[in-house]
Amino acid sequence: MAAYLQWRRFVFFDKELVKEPLGNDGAAPGAAPASGPSASKFLCLPPGITVCDSGRGSLVFGDMEGQIWFLPRSLQLTGFQAYKLRVTHLYQLKQHNILASVGEDEEGINPLVKIWNLEKRDGGNPLCTRIFPAIPGAEPTVVSCLTVHENLNFMAIGFTDGSVTLNKGDITRDRHSKTQILHKGNYPVTGLAFRQAGKTTHLFVVTTENVQSYIVSGKDYPRVELDTHGCGLRCSALSDPSQDLQFIVAGDECVYLYQPDERGPCFAFEGHKLIAHWFRGYLVIVSRDRKVSPKSEFTSRDSQSSDKQILNIYDLCNKFIAYSTVFEDVVDVLAEWGSLYVLTRDGRVHALQEKDTQTKLEMLFKKNLFEMAINLAKSQHLDSDGLAQIFMQYGDHLYSKGNHDGAVQQYIRTIGKLEPSYVIRKFLDAQRIHNLTAYLQTLHRQSLANADHTTLLLNCYTKLKDSSKLEEFIKTKSESEVHFDVETAIKVLRQAGYYSHALYLAENHAHHEWYLKIQLEDIKNYQEALRYIGKLPFEQAESNMKRYGKILMHHIPEQTTELLKGLCTDYRPSLEGRGDREAPGCRANSEEFIPIFANNPRELKAFLEHMSEVQPDSPQGIYDTLLELRLQNWAHEEEPQVKEKLHAEAISLLKSGRFCDVFDKALVLCQMHDFQDGVLYLYEQGKLFQQIVQYHMQHEQYRQVLAVCERHGAQEPSLWEQALSYFARKEEDCKQYVAAVLKHIEGKNLMPPLLVVQTLAHNSTATLSVIRDYLVQKLQKQSQQIAQDELRVRRYREETTRIRQEIQELKARIVWSVFEHFILEDLF
């Protein structure tokens, strides 16, 4: 039971008397009720009003003269004669322009029900589509209440004898409607209400002593007894969906709410209830309070009728009284045009206009009732921006009062709307670090934190030395649960010395570079760093070995070399037995890792030899570097046997055929290290025969010069000329070599004799005897050649003479043949 005495009272409605519009024409249809300078006097309704209702843009009244009056928004009152005697009940449907009424056309207890179609006219009056007696039987009784379902298929009428009739079918037509007695009881029926839930239609029935519900949409009409408390006439109502369409029964002690099958909450609102009404989420109750008229029990009947009546407007959701005022002799309370209208016995109409939401909130702010403001804003469906503004003001209020814990909880509710820096500045003081941490945690959970917020939160954790909170923050179950910038977190944790936490983040979120930085630069755990690289996918393993290979080679050369061998041949991540070892491996370009071995020649040699053996199609740089390394080792080796072995290895590498396309580079390497056999081999492979001869000449290796000329002179005859020039310039006795060269030159006729003589003229040791044989043989050959040429000339001349004679003979024959041909033609 709600404690009514604790409910706060507010003035959330403005009260004023409705005034008539100035002039006969009145205000335009749809205009607000006039209440300003354009109003002349207060609106006064006709006397004798007995019943009221509202809907479809009008207030509807029935009086003791049988007339029904309509007051539209233009405040131009119109009416028509509905009954001959009096109107006792009205029900205006909200979704149809249909009005149901109960009244009397003759004396006695014989009430009639009339159904009016307000959209159609009959002689200027609304069309009455149906008339039938309210009492189903012959026994007279008084109608106490009336209700109609909005679908026009149900109408219920309650009587003072405790019975309820149900009209089922189209209520606007006699032939489509069936009337039957639904309920019989011993207590007067004081209220009826239909409730639609899906396809099920319930009818609430309340008497002075009990409350019950019926299911009227099916057969048999099952009944549920809800309570043994009742209420007076007009003291029941049906709430809107905000209160789940509950049936409200306002008893003198309490106000009860009911579902079709059970009783709901109750509220201890004191006072003798006269009217209960539901309006836009508010419960409106008019009651006679004993405190207002303490002597009412002893006064006369007339004096009691003039007692003050209190109208209270309750907000059941937010537990406060939105408005409270005192009236005299309230006839009824109506709701239309977004306002409440209170009709009093003197014919005056009082308008209660609800203040706008912002005004109500400002009233609550002035009283520092922020919790109530929040609840009100939610019930009024204020947007998220408006709610955030309330949360901020509430947080500011609590902060100013020193309630920092409460303030930060309100600021947390502004996340996503209020700029975080506004809150952060308030709690940057070291004494408020716990509050700041709570705010930043929520900011991250909602994925609205930036890198600066992450940095600040982690610094809060480290300053508080709260390792458990820190671990809870960073150790999320999956990537989707990460609400912070991981890289920023790693940087902050590393800077604060929380290496293990930083490593956890780096490893679990695949920030390989940061993981290796921390392992190598901070912890100096080279073995673990190398193991981690070995677990990475190929691309990451390759890039990180290029980045950190030199550091690892310096500290753990053997293990690093082994990893590089695998990386450049058939790499598969070491997944500790969980990977598919049958999957094809990847291999990196081994040449790109050679700089890593700059200070580790032994490991470099092992790596290069492994690559050349296991992967013969390795890049050329591997073989170039291996050749250079072997030549260096050969050049610096002093042990003869080892040197010979290294010599054989270098020659073997040169003969492997891997240097055909980089001949010049290999030659330069051999020359740099004075590797003569290699130089000569490369000269020969490159067909650089002159360079071979020149090499032997430089080393005065005469026999080798002749050997090269004999071996390659056929391909390059100029070698003999080069050899002759070489021996001709030598001052020592080289007769045998010159003779050998001249013999070959003479045999192949490579040089003119005069050029040979001029070449040998430079040698002071060369005598005529050296070239005598050469010259004699040369002259003999020339003499023979001259004789042969003279014989050939003579033969050619004789042949020419013979041919000329044959030509002359042929010409003579041709002339004689032509002559004979012409003579024969003349004869015939």
Side-chain angles (χ1 to χ4, degrees):
M1 180 180 294
Y4 162 72
L5 295 177
Q6 296 178 359
W7 286 24
R8 289 182 175 270
R9 296 175 180 266
F10 300 99
V11 183
F12 286 165
F13 286 78
D14 294 321
K15 173 185 174 184
E16 63 179 348
L17 274 170
V18 177
K19 299 177 181 179
E20 289 185 350
L22 185 63
N24 295 328
D25 294 337
S35 59
S38 62
S40 59
K41 59 182 181 179
F42 297 120
L43 178 69
C44 188
L45 297 177
I49 297 295
T50 57
V51 63
C52 311
D53 203 359
S54 63
R56 307 297 295 181
S58 295
L59 304 182
V60 187
F61 310 103
D63 65 13
M64 294 294 294
E65 303 297 328
Q67 293 194 63
I68 295 178
W69 301 90
F70 296 94
L71 184 67
R73 197 162 191 174
S74 62
L75 303 183
Q76 298 296 317
L77 190 65
T78 60
F80 70 97
Q81 190 72 39
Y83 293 89
K84 296 178 181 179
L85 293 183
R86 66 185 65 85
V87 181
T88 59
H89 296 82
L90 291 173
Y91 192 92
Q92 173 66 59
L93 277 80
K94 305 300 184 289
Q95 299 178 13
H96 303 277
N97 212 0
I98 300 295
L99 175 67
S101 64
V102 179
E104 298 174 3
D105 280 341
E106 57 185 16
E107 293 294 342
I109 304 177
N110 189 22
L112 293 177
V113 179
K114 296 184 180 182
I115 307 299
W116 308 91
N117 187 335
L118 303 181
E119 293 180 348
K120 298 181 180 181
R121 293 288 166 175
D122 180 14
N125 296 330
L127 176 64
C128 181
T129 62
R130 183 184 179 193
I131 303 176
F132 63 93
I135 302 173
E139 186 176 347
T141 183
V142 177
V143 175
S144 58
C145 52
L146 167 71
T147 187
V148 181
H149 197 289
E150 289 294 333
N151 64 11
L152 300 178
N153 287 324
F154 297 99
M155 180 170 65
I157 303 174
F159 299 91
T160 57
D161 66 354
S163 62
V164 176
T165 62
L166 176 67
N167 285 265
K168 196 172 183 180
D170 188 351
I171 65 168
T172 63
R173 299 181 181 182
D174 285 321
R175 63 179 180 177
H176 295 293
S177 179
K178 180 182 178 182
T179 303
Q180 55 188 328
I181 297 176
L182 176 69
H183 170 80
K184 287 186 177 181
N186 300 322
Y187 306 105
V189 178
T190 55
L192 299 169
F194 285 109
R195 180 184 188 273
Q196 190 71 36
K199 295 182 179 180
T200 303
T201 304
H202 293 90
L203 175 64
F204 288 102
V205 178
V206 58
T207 68
T208 56
E209 299 297 332
N210 54 42
V211 182
Q212 48 218 323
S213 70
Y214 290 86
I215 298 177
V216 297
S217 54
K219 296 180 179 180
D220 300 332
Y221 308 130
R223 182 177 69 92
V224 177
E225 185 81 22
L226 297 176
D227 211 337
T228 56
H229 301 281
C231 66
L233 284 171
R234 301 189 299 169
C235 290
S236 62
L238 190 70
S239 70
D240 58 21
S242 67
Q243 281 289 335
D244 199 20
L245 296 174
Q246 296 186 92
F247 186 58
I248 301 169
V249 175
D252 286 348
E253 299 299 329
C254 293
V255 174
Y256 300 93
L257 276 66
Y258 298 93
Q259 294 283 357
D261 54 354
E262 62 180 354
R263 192 177 84 176
C266 66
F267 301 89
F269 300 150
E270 295 181 353
H272 175 61
K273 310 301 187 299
L274 302 176
I275 298 173
H277 191 81
W278 187 264
F279 170 69
R280 296 172 64 176
Y282 293 109
L283 175 61
V284 182
I285 290 183
V286 178
S287 61
R288 181 181 293 114
D289 197 332
R290 298 184 183 89
K291 295 180 180 179
V292 176
S293 181
K295 297 181 180 180
S296 59
E297 295 181 4
F298 305 98
T299 56
S300 65
R301 186 172 180 180
D302 294 336
S303 63
Q304 286 184 7
S305 64
S306 63
D307 283 347
K308 301 290 185 179
Q309 297 171 356
I310 300 175
L311 182 144
N312 287 322
I313 301 177
Y314 299 96
D315 188 328
L316 301 183
C317 291
N318 299 311
K319 304 293 190 297
F320 64 79
I321 301 174
Y323 187 72
S324 182
T325 187
V326 176
F327 290 98
E328 291 186 3
D329 295 333
V330 175
V331 175
D332 209 342
V333 179
L334 306 175
E336 195 64 30
W337 311 312
S339 300
L340 281 173
Y341 294 90
V342 181
L343 174 62
T344 54
R345 188 67 60 188
D346 58 6
R348 299 294 175 87
V349 179
H350 303 261
L352 299 180
Q353 178 67 44
E354 186 179 8
K355 299 179 186 293
D356 61 84
T357 302
Q358 191 58 42
T359 301
K360 292 187 285 187
L361 292 176
E362 290 175 358
M363 294 172 65
L364 294 173
F365 293 157
K366 289 179 181 179
K367 297 181 179 181
N368 295 327
L369 299 175
F370 292 98
E371 286 288 354
M372 191 168 288
I374 292 168
N375 295 332
L376 175 64
K378 289 179 178 179
S379 64
Q380 298 285 325
H381 305 291
L382 195 67
D383 60 19
S384 56
D385 292 333
L387 283 171
Q389 187 67 24
I390 300 174
F391 296 143
M392 185 195 74
Q393 293 186 40
Y394 191 16
D396 291 344
H397 169 70
L398 295 175
Y399 186 88
S400 65
K401 296 296 184 181
N403 184 0
H404 300 105
D405 293 338
V408 78
Q409 293 304 315
Q410 298 307 315
Y411 289 134
I412 285 173
R413 301 168 79 177
T414 68
I415 290 176
K417 300 296 181 182
L418 180 64
E419 176 61 37
S421 59
Y422 176 85
V423 180
I424 292 172
R425 284 195 298 269
K426 289 180 175 289
F427 295 99
L428 278 179
D429 188 352
Q431 296 180 352
R432 309 284 176 261
I433 194 169
H434 292 282
N435 304 126
L436 179 59
T437 302
Y439 179 81
L440 292 172
Q441 283 176 337
T442 309
L443 195 65
H444 281 80
R445 278 195 292 269
Q446 297 187 18
S447 300
L448 295 173
N450 58 29
D452 293 333
H453 300 147
T454 301
T455 301
L456 187 57
L457 177 59
L458 292 174
N459 284 328
C460 290
Y461 285 141
T462 55
K463 286 182 180 180
L464 292 172
K465 300 187 183 303
D466 193 345
S467 298
S468 60
K469 283 287 186 182
L470 180 59
E471 291 184 3
E472 180 183 349
F473 178 72
I474 67 173
K475 292 186 177 181
T476 53
K477 295 180 180 180
S478 64
E479 188 73 25
S480 60
E481 297 181 10
V482 177
H483 304 293
F484 57 89
D485 183 75
V486 175
E487 186 171 359
T488 300
I490 294 173
K491 290 179 182 178
V492 175
L493 293 171
R494 182 190 183 197
Q495 186 177 6
Y498 284 77
Y499 299 126
S500 61
H501 296 80
L503 287 174
Y504 173 86
L505 282 178
E507 184 173 10
N508 280 271
H509 298 282
H511 286 264
H512 310 309
E513 181 180 349
W514 283 108
Y515 184 91
L516 294 172
K517 272 187 178 181
I518 297 170
Q519 289 285 13
L520 296 174
E521 298 175 13
D522 300 322
I523 303 178
K524 312 293 184 184
N525 190 343
Y526 304 105
Q527 293 281 1
E528 180 59 29
L530 189 67
R531 182 197 64 80
Y532 185 81
I533 293 176
K535 296 194 304 180
L536 298 178
F538 172 74
E539 290 80 6
Q540 285 86 356
E542 180 185 24
S543 62
N544 282 291
M545 280 306 295
K546 290 177 181 178
R547 185 186 301 271
Y548 301 110
K550 287 186 178 181
I551 298 175
L552 294 169
M553 183 62 68
H554 176 71
H555 292 90
I556 45 174
E558 293 182 1
Q559 297 91 325
T560 305
T561 302
E562 289 302 316
L563 179 57
L564 286 173
K565 288 179 182 179
L567 187 64
C568 297
T569 52
D570 186 24
Y571 178 77
R572 292 181 176 86
S574 58
L575 300 178
E576 300 177 358
R578 294 177 295 169
D580 183 7
R581 304 305 295 176
E582 299 300 325
C586 302
R587 66 183 187 183
N589 186 349
S590 52
E591 185 177 2
E592 297 176 353
F593 295 98
I594 292 176
I596 292 175
F597 297 91
N599 298 317
N600 298 80
R602 183 168 64 87
E603 284 75 18
L604 175 60
K605 182 173 181 292
F607 175 72
L608 296 174
E609 289 178 347
H610 173 80
M611 294 307 302
S612 63
E613 293 173 4
V614 176
Q615 190 175 310
D617 61 341
S618 294
Q620 185 60 42
I622 293 294
Y623 292 93
D624 294 344
T625 308
L626 180 58
L627 176 60
E628 182 179 5
L629 190 61
R630 287 183 176 179
L631 292 176
Q632 285 180 355
N633 294 338
W634 173 83
H636 294 90
E637 184 58 52
E638 296 180 356
E639 180 65 32
Q641 294 181 351
V642 178
K643 194 176 186 70
E644 182 64 26
K645 180 181 178 182
L646 294 173
H647 178 278
E649 291 178 352
I651 290 294
S652 174
L653 183 59
L654 286 172
K655 292 182 179 180
S656 65
R658 295 295 307 183
F659 299 94
C660 297
D661 297 332
V662 289
F663 170 83
D664 294 340
K665 188 173 184 179
L667 182 58
V668 169
L669 289 174
C670 291
Q671 290 173 342
M672 287 174 55
H673 297 88
D674 195 23
F675 190 59
Q676 298 181 9
D677 292 344
V679 171
L680 293 174
Y681 174 78
L682 292 172
Y683 280 159
E684 187 170 355
Q685 291 297 308
K687 296 183 180 181
L688 301 177
F689 306 128
Q690 290 188 5
Q691 283 82 347
I692 297 175
V693 171
Q694 188 66 33
Y695 177 84
H696 290 305
M697 290 177 180
Q698 289 176 358
H699 292 81
E700 297 183 351
Q701 298 172 347
Y702 303 148
R703 293 183 182 279
Q704 283 81 352
V705 172
L706 287 177
V708 172
C709 291
E710 291 173 354
R711 192 162 57 251
H712 304 294
Q715 297 175 267
E716 194 167 345
S718 62
L719 293 178
W720 293 106
E721 298 177 17
Q722 186 178 355
L724 182 61
S725 299
Y726 170 72
F727 289 122
R729 290 192 299 271
K730 290 295 181 180
E731 294 299 329
E732 65 264 22
D733 187 5
C734 297
K735 293 179 181 180
Q736 59 176 346
Y737 301 112
V738 173
V741 172
L742 288 174
K743 181 180 178 180
H744 198 86
I745 290 175
E746 186 273 332
K748 298 294 184 178
N749 194 22
L750 299 177
M751 293 176 65
L754 183 58
L755 183 58
V756 172
V757 174
Q758 290 176 348
T759 301
L760 292 175
H762 297 290
N763 191 338
S764 59
T765 61
T767 61
L768 185 60
S769 61
V770 175
I771 61 172
R772 181 183 59 190
D773 294 339
Y774 167 76
L775 292 175
V776 170
Q777 292 177 5
K778 197 66 179 175
L779 290 172
Q780 289 177 351
K781 285 185 178 181
Q782 288 182 352
S783 297
Q784 293 173 0
Q785 186 66 39
I786 291 171
Q788 291 175 359
D789 291 341
E790 289 177 351
L791 180 61
R792 193 177 291 111
V793 169
R794 189 167 54 249
R795 192 180 299 127
Y796 288 159
R797 284 176 178 174
E798 293 174 354
E799 185 69 24
T800 301
T801 302
R802 184 182 63 77
I803 293 173
R804 284 176 178 173
Q805 290 176 357
E806 291 179 354
I807 292 172
Q808 291 299 327
E809 292 176 359
L810 287 173
K811 287 181 178 179
R813 290 176 184 174
I814 292 171
V815 171
W816 175 248
S817 297
V818 173
F819 178 73
E820 288 179 346
H821 177 72
F822 283 114
I823 292 174
L824 291 174
E825 284 184 349
D826 292 339
L827 291 176
F828 294 103

